[in-house]
Amino acid sequence: MFHFSTGITAINISQFAIDAISHNIANANTPGFHRRQTILQALPEYQVNNRLIGGGVGLSQYRLMRNQMLENSLSGSIGDLASVQQQLRTDNRVESLFGSGPGSLEQLFSRFQSTLNELTLNSGDPTQRRLVLDSAVQMTNQLRSTASGLAQIKSEMGRQIESDVRSLNEKMVELSNLQKQLQVAQPASSGAQLTDRRDALINEIAEMVDVNRNELSQNGFGLVLGGGSLTIGQEPMTVSTKTAPDGTISLMIDQFEMALKPQGGRLAAMLDAHNNSIGEFRDRLNEMATGLIQTFDQAHAQGVGPAGSFDRLVSTRQLESTSLPLQSAGLQLPVTAGELFVTVTDGAGVRRTSRIAYDPAADSLADIASRISSIDGMTASVNPANKTLILRSMGDNKFDFSGLPDTVPDLSGFTGTARPSLSGGYTGETNETLRVELAGSGTIGVTVGLKANVYDSAGGLVAEIDVGKGYEPGQPIEVVNGIRMAFADGTVNAGDSFETNLVANPDTGGLLSGLGLNSFFTGNDATNIGISQRLLDDPNLVASGTTPDSADATNLKRLLQALDAASSSGLSVSQALTSLSVAAGSRVQTAAALEVQFQSIKTGFENERESFSGVDLNEELINMTRFQKSYEAALRVMQSVDQMYDETIRMLG
Amino acid sequence: MFARATSLSVASHAVHFNALHSSNILRLQQQISSGLRVTRPSDSPGEYQQISALNSQLSSLSSSLSVIQSASSRLNASVSELQEVNRLISTVTQLAQQGVQSAGASERAALATEVEGLAEQMKNLANSKFGQHYLFGGTRAGSEPFQFGGPAAAGQLAATQYSGGGQNSQSVISPSLAVDSLYDGSQIFHVAGRQPTVVISTTGVTRGDGTDSMTGRANLQIRHTLSTYAPGSGVAAGSGSPGGDTILGPAGRHQLTITDTSGTGTAGTVSLNGGKPVAFDSSQANLSVTNDSGETVYLDMTAITAGFSGTVDITATGTLSVDGGVTTTAIDFSGSQAVTDGATGKVVRLNTSAVNRSGDDYLEFPGTTDIFETLDALVRDLRGERSLDNSSVGDSLGRILDRLEQIGNQVLETMGIQSSTLAGLEQLQFRNEDLRLEFETERAQLQATDLPTAIIDLQSQQLLQQYTFSVTSQVMSQSLINFLS
């Protein structure tokens, strides 16, 4: 006997297959969608008249076309790409801070250098002095702005990390819920849709932190985050941020109180930028700025401007204590043991340069004040309120740190009536204490063979001057390295002697810059660098020379040499700035190249995944046509059976 | 195995390559529009570093060139002024030579007037200004370096006060190179070269032993202060003696010869140094006795010892002064006696051992005057202010000519140094300009866009983008739907 049932199975299956195809076509452009495949199988045969007859067709499998390895690789590439894209965004911002062209740090520094160079032509010109200060202000503004920009990027990065962590936690809770639903779902019903959603969610998580799927563990599925530091099963796990005292941010897994260490995704890039790379740029910028401040201030402190020497100076770099050794008192710039030469000039123009020694490991600010006070014509005190050093000259004296030679040396060891004097500028390279001793007695300019012997610090004879007959009293004679000496008319006695300091470096340990005495800059790094207000108020205080002479550019040469000198890591300021720009540019270039590479890898995995799981419309249309024909054929079978039954009834009837 | 091509794959490819081509087109558009291939470090870090180094060097070169040009201008101006100084010295030398040969006072006076005019020009040249700076003011070039006043004391020369800097002012071309561009004028218009002091004397003073420190010229005032007489004769200094005696000398250099003709000391004759006897009587308390040499003493003859006839040794002391009597020094009749100018503290050493009378002598300190004092000295000599004889004037003019030559040589030497510096600066300027050109070329090669290549690349990218659109359109339009009826 014929049965309708065989045909009916074919019609049902065709309808089901066409529904599945319809679902595939509808989601052809849905991201993360896996196509469904309908697998048919013949129904069991049954025996009719000792013969086996087929029972029709049935659904063998409603398959989700999904490849675990491809899904995992895709998630990994998404994490890598997200990480490098985040790095690129950050590095682009850092690069733009250092910039190039007009207004860049390099250009502004160059301008400052040029204006300073051109000041040597008109060192007394107030307009040119103002230009130097203006260019310095612009440069320091840009330095602070760059440092502030780096701090801002870091701060924003911290907020973005917080935001991403909140988002990550929400997604992990959702993932956990999905996993629970998947445990009880039927693959042929809601299971496929939940799996699609889970895959999409994992890829969203992968954008934030690296993930690795393990679909055989934890009841069929597990997810490893942060290079193995966190495994997610059915129970939700959450992450929080922890900020260390040094400002470093780390991620902590709340449930286990252990650190999550992302190796990929945005969070990895942001944590690296926040904790490492931005800090490195900041440190290098500060190191450069500190070097600039120290070297330039040290040179500036040793000069004077047209306004002349000082009757009062207050240190601008405050300490934390006036009684502790400087080393423990919060010095803002490094100071080493050395010697400081203070030059005091009286109202008649008589100049005397005195030496004091200091050791920051042993001497406090009060000790330094006490030592300076021991110099004739000087008094020094400390301000206990703001921990600064105040220097004052007494009477009509003025002081500076030019280290110029005495005009009249200390003559306490001189018994004759002839007064020796000194002039000229010392051109030697090391500090010396010159001792002059008369080899005989007599009258200057009269006594035949009257000699003055000149000895250096080591006791070596460096010159023998004939001041007897033939010498014109008062006429300067070159003695050593630019120093000239003269003896006024009068008598001298054998053994008469005096000492005088010849100063190549008036401050060998950096005390002046360390304390901020007669400094050009304020602050001690890029975050707080500025220009001394006293200079802005009076440009004539810019130390262009070693004397108040309007065309004395001696110290400008030293200042230019300071700008050219190594400021950090053996680099000049200009080189250090270029190095920073190049470092930022290199990071951008590397990240951009990696982005292209990772984008290409991701596209490759996406294509492979699409090749396996994606919907090919033409393929679906072919299958649809196939099942449509199958449906028509089944109907035809049903129609044939019906006709056969009709014919049989009509014959009977 | 073959890949299944899905519509999402096709779309993904289209989006990916469109983005890639668009990005390249944007980059090329920027390069072509700006003309620069490297505008930021990430464009090419290595090249950016080179460009940055070149920019830094170009900036330094630009500053250096600016300084070189300004320093050259100053030095050119300075050389030009010194050439004029040299011309003036030559002219003055000729006038001085004329003065030597001239015997007439009026001719010399005319020459003096001419020299005065040249001296004024010389003063203007010494204070010449270039821009804001005095060329010969050294480091104090902001104010006039030379101030000219009158003589401090009779017989001295018009004083020149140099208030410029004692060092040359330098222009810093680079941190390691600086050149002197504003010179210390005191080292140009004056040159050290002291020669032995000249004493033009009528009093017996000669140059002492030792080296003097006084400069220029001075009048030496030798004044009598006290005469004392060897005991026995009863003669004493008259009331007019301190200011009236003209003799000076230790005991015995001068002698009186007294003859008591009355035998009671009330009348007789007295003569000075063997001169013509002068009659006296005991009523004369201030008898003036002058001999043929013009030496005079004032005597008190009121207490002549009765019957005294013979010689009496005179001791006549006096003072020396080189500052018009402001400061005086007692004559010690030694071989070397220091006399100090109270105004300057400078000293002249004189041999007073042969001083025998008071008077005014003239001191010259050859080799110590600057050009202005030298010209002043010339004017004074041509005008005959010291009333010297022709021979002495000739000698003095000869010394002035020597000094003019010394200072002229100094000016020439300075001009030589400045010219040499200028030549060096010119070479440096050429070298820096060459370097600048070289650096700019190198920078352009590193930084500038290779326009033909960039334009071809742009066309290539545009073509690829068009292909992307075209192939995407074709692939996406190919569908089974079109064939299903």
Side-chain angles (χ1 to χ4, degrees):
Chain A
M1 195 59 191
F2 304 110
H3 291 287
F4 285 106
S5 59
T6 303
I8 288 169
T9 60
I11 285 170
N12 285 341
I13 282 300
S14 295
Q15 282 178 335
F16 183 85
I18 286 171
D19 281 346
I21 287 165
S22 171
H23 184 63
N24 283 347
I25 290 172
N27 286 288
N29 292 317
T30 304
F33 177 76
H34 302 90
R35 68 192 166 95
R36 278 60 165 169
Q37 194 176 35
T38 308
I39 310 292
L40 305 184
Q41 67 173 6
L43 290 176
E45 295 173 328
Y46 55 90
Q47 193 167 7
V48 178
N49 297 330
N50 293 326
R51 292 195 178 117
L52 288 173
I53 300 296
V57 64
L59 182 66
S60 165
Q61 198 177 351
Y62 182 61
R63 201 167 78 177
L64 195 65
M65 297 303 290
R66 179 174 175 280
N67 182 297
Q68 180 192 336
M69 192 181 72
L70 281 178
E71 296 295 338
N72 206 27
S73 299
L74 179 60
S75 297
S77 69
I78 286 171
D80 290 342
L81 181 61
S83 174
V84 80
Q85 283 177 331
Q86 178 59 47
Q87 185 191 330
L88 183 57
R89 279 192 290 274
T90 309
D91 290 343
N92 264 323
R93 289 191 64 185
V94 173
E95 185 192 25
S96 66
L97 279 180
F98 289 100
S100 59
S104 67
L105 260 178
E106 289 174 81
Q107 198 258 1
L108 291 174
F109 173 75
S110 207
R111 182 160 174 270
F112 173 54
Q113 209 169 14
S114 296
T115 54
L116 203 58
N117 204 160
E118 284 160 18
L119 183 60
T120 66
L121 288 169
N122 295 298
S123 55
D125 181 8
T127 309
Q128 189 66 32
R129 288 176 166 272
R130 182 58 70 188
L131 280 177
V132 169
L133 288 169
D134 287 348
S135 62
V137 166
Q138 287 177 22
M139 180 187 72
T140 52
N141 284 348
Q142 186 62 28
L143 267 170
R144 285 199 311 276
S145 168
T146 305
S148 158
L150 285 171
Q152 191 181 350
I153 294 173
K154 185 173 176 176
S155 167
E156 288 172 8
M157 207 59 67
R159 289 198 294 274
Q160 187 63 45
I161 289 169
E162 295 284 352
S163 169
D164 267 27
V165 164
R166 280 195 299 275
S167 177
L168 175 66
N169 286 339
E170 287 167 9
K171 290 184 191 307
M172 290 210 288
V173 170
E174 185 182 351
L175 181 66
S176 176
N177 291 335
L178 271 177
Q179 193 56 29
K180 284 176 188 164
Q181 292 172 43
L182 270 167
Q183 290 296 310
V184 296
Q186 295 300 319
S189 56
S190 60
Q193 185 263 329
L194 290 172
T195 302
D196 280 353
R197 175 62 196 138
R198 186 183 66 185
D199 284 341
L201 194 58
I202 287 170
N203 286 342
E204 287 169 21
I205 290 172
E207 286 185 4
M208 289 183 276
V209 60
D210 56 297
V211 297
N212 191 16
R213 299 160 194 250
N214 182 359
E215 300 195 17
L216 296 177
S217 66
Q218 196 79 23
N219 295 326
F221 183 82
L223 192 65
V224 179
L225 268 66
S229 51
L230 175 61
T231 302
I232 298 174
Q234 290 185 30
E235 293 306 316
M237 304 242 179
T238 54
V239 174
S240 58
T241 58
K242 182 180 175 186
T243 305
D246 65 355
T248 306
I249 295 178
S250 55
L251 301 185
M252 301 300 294
I253 302 161
D254 296 333
Q255 286 71 17
F256 302 112
E257 292 186 354
M258 59 182 285
L260 174 69
K261 297 173 181 169
Q263 308 295 311
R266 284 200 306 270
L267 278 169
M270 286 193 288
L271 284 168
D272 178 62
H274 184 276
N275 296 340
N276 301 313
S277 65
I278 294 174
E280 284 169 18
F281 277 104
R282 178 202 58 208
D283 291 347
R284 287 177 63 180
L285 184 70
N286 280 338
E287 190 185 356
M288 184 279 297
T290 301
L292 168 67
I293 292 167
Q294 189 186 19
T295 319
F296 197 82
D297 273 2
Q298 191 64 18
H300 188 269
Q302 298 170 8
V304 296
S309 302
F310 320 109
D311 48 26
R312 184 175 186 271
L313 267 184
V314 180
S315 64
T316 54
R317 297 200 168 95
Q318 297 179 2
L319 300 181
E320 293 160 3
S321 164
T322 60
S323 54
L324 287 173
L326 295 175
Q327 205 164 280
S328 311
L331 277 170
Q332 297 176 33
L333 292 174
V335 177
T336 58
E339 51 187 9
L340 173 68
F341 292 87
V342 183
T343 302
V344 180
T345 307
D346 67 17
V350 175
R351 185 174 61 216
R352 185 77 51 80
T353 293
S354 306
R355 170 185 172 278
I356 64 162
Y358 58 84
D359 180 0
D363 298 329
S364 66
L365 196 63
D367 295 333
I368 300 290
S370 167
R371 249 165 252 174
I372 292 176
S373 290
S374 69
I375 296 171
D376 278 350
M378 288 293 296
T379 179
S381 59
V382 293
N383 182 339
N386 53 18
K387 316 287 190 294
T388 54
L389 180 68
I390 302 166
L391 305 183
R392 287 192 189 90
S393 57
M394 294 187 285
D396 57 359
N397 291 307
K398 300 269 187 181
F399 69 95
D400 58 56
F401 308 103
S402 62
L404 289 174
D406 300 341
T407 52
V408 178
D410 178 5
L411 298 176
S412 52
F414 216 81
T415 59
T417 60
R419 300 289 90 178
S421 61
L422 297 161
S423 58
Y426 180 55
T427 56
E429 293 181 352
T430 55
N431 293 345
E432 283 279 357
T433 301
L434 219 58
R435 191 170 69 83
V436 180
E437 184 176 324
L438 271 300
S441 302
T443 304
I444 298 296
V446 175
T447 306
V448 175
L450 186 59
K451 297 279 173 53
N453 292 328
V454 183
Y455 302 93
D456 62 17
S457 302
L461 182 68
V462 293
E464 189 180 54
I465 307 165
D466 190 339
V467 293
K469 189 175 180 183
Y471 168 71
E472 179 183 338
Q475 189 66 30
I477 303 175
E478 177 93 16
V479 179
V480 58
N481 290 327
I483 294 298
R484 296 193 292 268
M485 189 180 296
F487 281 83
D489 191 73
T491 59
V492 291
N493 298 310
D496 278 356
S497 66
F498 66 86
E499 286 190 347
T500 189
N501 293 311
L502 302 186
V503 183
N505 181 0
D507 178 18
T508 58
L511 183 67
L512 294 173
S513 58
L515 297 180
L517 285 165
N518 190 26
S519 58
F520 184 87
F521 292 113
T522 57
N524 63 339
D525 61 26
T527 61
N528 56 15
I529 188 172
I531 306 298
S532 167
Q533 190 58 46
R534 57 190 279 274
L535 300 188
L536 294 173
D537 292 342
D538 182 3
N540 277 334
L541 289 171
V542 173
S544 48
T546 49
T547 65
D549 294 354
S550 63
D552 180 4
T554 318
N555 208 48
L556 287 174
K557 189 176 173 189
R558 263 193 270 185
L559 293 174
L560 285 164
Q561 285 169 339
L563 290 183
D564 230 22
S567 71
S568 60
S569 309
L571 299 175
S572 68
V573 175
S574 173
Q575 288 170 330
L577 286 171
T578 302
S579 168
L580 276 167
S581 297
V582 168
S586 291
R587 285 182 63 93
V588 170
Q589 193 189 44
T590 305
L594 282 175
E595 187 197 23
V596 171
Q597 183 187 342
F598 288 155
Q599 182 69 56
S600 176
I601 291 171
K602 180 181 166 241
T603 303
F605 284 133
E606 278 176 344
N607 286 339
E608 280 192 45
R609 180 190 170 284
E610 272 298 296
S611 176
F612 188 79
S613 303
V615 177
D616 179 354
L617 289 175
N618 291 328
E619 182 184 298
E620 299 299 329
L621 287 173
I622 290 167
N623 284 334
M624 187 182 75
T625 308
R626 185 160 62 94
F627 284 109
Q628 185 187 358
K629 293 297 176 192
S630 175
Y631 185 87
E632 286 174 8
L635 281 177
R636 184 70 183 161
V637 168
M638 295 283 286
Q639 193 178 14
S640 297
V641 171
D642 183 50
Q643 284 176 353
M644 287 168 67
Y645 274 119
D646 283 350
E647 190 64 27
T648 303
I649 290 168
R650 187 171 53 79
M651 286 173 63
L652 289 174
Chain B
M1 181 182 171
F2 59 91
R4 293 174 62 254
T6 68
S7 59
L8 205 59
S9 301
V10 171
S12 169
H13 272 103
V15 168
H16 175 72
F17 286 108
N18 174 54
L20 185 64
H21 301 323
S22 293
S23 169
N24 287 336
I25 286 169
L26 185 68
R27 177 174 51 81
L28 288 164
Q29 182 206 17
Q30 190 182 0
Q31 288 184 5
I32 293 167
S33 302
S34 67
L36 298 174
R37 186 174 55 84
V38 181
T39 54
R40 53 184 202 155
S42 55
D43 289 337
S44 174
E47 287 176 312
Y48 181 86
Q49 187 163 22
Q50 292 178 56
I51 291 165
S52 188
L54 287 169
N55 280 336
S56 176
Q57 284 170 313
L58 279 165
S59 175
S60 295
L61 278 177
S62 181
S63 296
S64 295
L65 279 168
S66 171
V67 175
I68 287 170
Q69 282 160 1
S70 297
S72 297
S73 300
R74 282 181 187 173
L75 286 171
N76 269 318
S78 181
V79 167
S80 173
E81 300 289 6
L82 289 180
Q83 280 174 338
E84 184 61 14
V85 167
N86 197 46
R87 190 190 66 76
L88 287 181
I89 290 175
S90 298
T91 308
V92 168
T93 301
Q94 288 171 6
L95 295 174
Q97 285 166 343
Q98 286 177 36
V100 172
Q101 291 158 4
S102 169
S106 61
E107 189 183 344
R108 282 182 177 166
L111 291 171
T113 305
E114 199 172 339
V115 171
E116 266 185 331
L118 296 174
E120 284 307 307
Q121 287 184 44
M122 189 68 81
K123 290 173 184 174
N124 288 334
L125 286 170
N127 279 333
S128 52
K129 208 173 174 185
F130 182 77
Q132 300 173 336
H133 299 100
Y134 289 89
L135 286 170
F136 307 114
T139 53
R140 286 184 201 151
S143 55
E144 276 194 347
F146 291 98
Q147 287 82 43
F148 305 100
Q156 295 187 358
L157 299 173
T160 307
Q161 180 69 38
Y162 177 72
S163 58
Q167 306 278 336
N168 294 340
S169 171
Q170 292 195 314
S171 297
V172 183
I173 291 168
S174 71
S176 57
L177 178 63
V179 294
D180 293 336
S181 60
L182 297 168
Y183 275 59
D184 168 7
S186 67
Q187 301 297 313
I188 298 175
F189 298 97
H190 177 273
V191 57
R194 177 181 288 274
Q195 291 167 9
T197 300
V198 173
V199 183
I200 303 170
S201 174
T202 58
T203 62
V205 172
T206 56
R207 175 162 50 87
D209 200 16
T211 314
D212 302 329
S213 58
M214 276 190 73
T215 60
R217 285 181 175 178
N219 281 1
L220 174 64
Q221 289 183 350
I222 302 160
R223 298 289 180 261
H224 171 269
T225 51
L226 180 66
S227 293
T228 54
Y229 298 85
S233 69
V235 69
S239 60
S241 171
D245 288 3
T246 62
I247 60 163
L248 288 169
R253 176 163 298 166
H254 299 284
Q255 286 183 326
L256 285 178
T257 303
I258 299 172
T259 306
D260 178 8
T261 55
S262 65
T264 60
T266 54
T269 60
V270 61
S271 66
L272 176 63
N273 293 332
K276 187 179 175 183
V278 175
F280 73 86
D281 62 49
S282 57
S283 66
Q284 291 176 306
N286 192 30
L287 175 66
S288 170
V289 178
T290 303
N291 64 14
D292 296 339
S293 304
E295 294 169 329
T296 300
V297 289
Y298 287 86
L299 303 171
D300 178 354
M301 306 301 285
T302 56
I304 297 298
T305 305
F308 182 84
S309 291
T311 58
V312 180
D313 287 347
I314 310 171
T315 301
T317 61
T319 59
L320 303 166
S321 177
V322 290
D323 54 13
V326 175
T327 314
T328 58
T329 304
I331 301 169
D332 63 6
F333 305 105
S334 67
S336 185
Q337 173 170 16
V339 183
T340 305
D341 180 345
T344 62
K346 292 183 175 177
V347 171
V348 58
R349 290 185 168 78
L350 299 169
N351 181 346
T352 56
S353 59
V355 169
N356 57 18
R357 61 180 299 166
S358 62
D360 287 330
D361 288 347
Y362 303 113
L363 302 176
E364 287 184 22
F365 305 97
T368 64
T369 53
D370 60 32
I371 186 66
F372 317 105
E373 291 164 337
T374 307
L375 295 182
D376 186 44
L378 177 57
V379 169
R380 288 170 190 272
D381 278 1
L382 290 172
R383 290 226 164 99
E385 283 191 1
R386 293 189 291 182
S387 305
L388 300 177
D389 57 38
N390 259 343
S391 169
S392 295
V393 170
D395 290 346
S396 181
L397 291 177
R399 289 189 289 275
I400 287 173
L401 282 167
D402 288 345
R403 187 61 179 159
L404 284 172
E405 187 181 353
Q406 285 177 345
I407 296 173
N409 288 339
Q410 173 75 4
V411 170
L412 284 173
E413 191 179 330
T414 307
M415 278 169 60
I417 293 169
Q418 293 189 340
S419 299
S420 168
T421 307
L422 271 170
L425 286 177
E426 191 178 10
Q427 283 182 349
L428 196 60
Q429 184 171 353
F430 288 148
R431 192 171 72 84
N432 280 4
E433 281 170 351
D434 285 349
L435 276 176
R436 183 163 68 175
L437 186 63
E438 195 177 313
F439 289 164
E440 281 173 347
T441 307
E442 196 176 338
R443 183 177 64 176
Q445 283 172 350
L446 285 166
Q447 191 174 25
T449 305
D450 179 359
L451 284 173
T453 306
I455 290 166
I456 290 168
D457 285 350
L458 178 66
Q459 288 171 341
S460 169
Q461 291 298 326
Q462 285 174 326
L463 209 56
L464 282 170
Q465 193 175 38
Q466 287 168 14
Y467 286 154
T468 302
F469 293 154
S470 174
V471 75
T472 303
S473 168
Q474 286 191 21
V475 168
M476 291 187 93
S477 64
Q478 188 81 1
S479 172
L480 185 61
I481 295 170
N482 301 331
F483 299 94
L484 292 175
S485 58

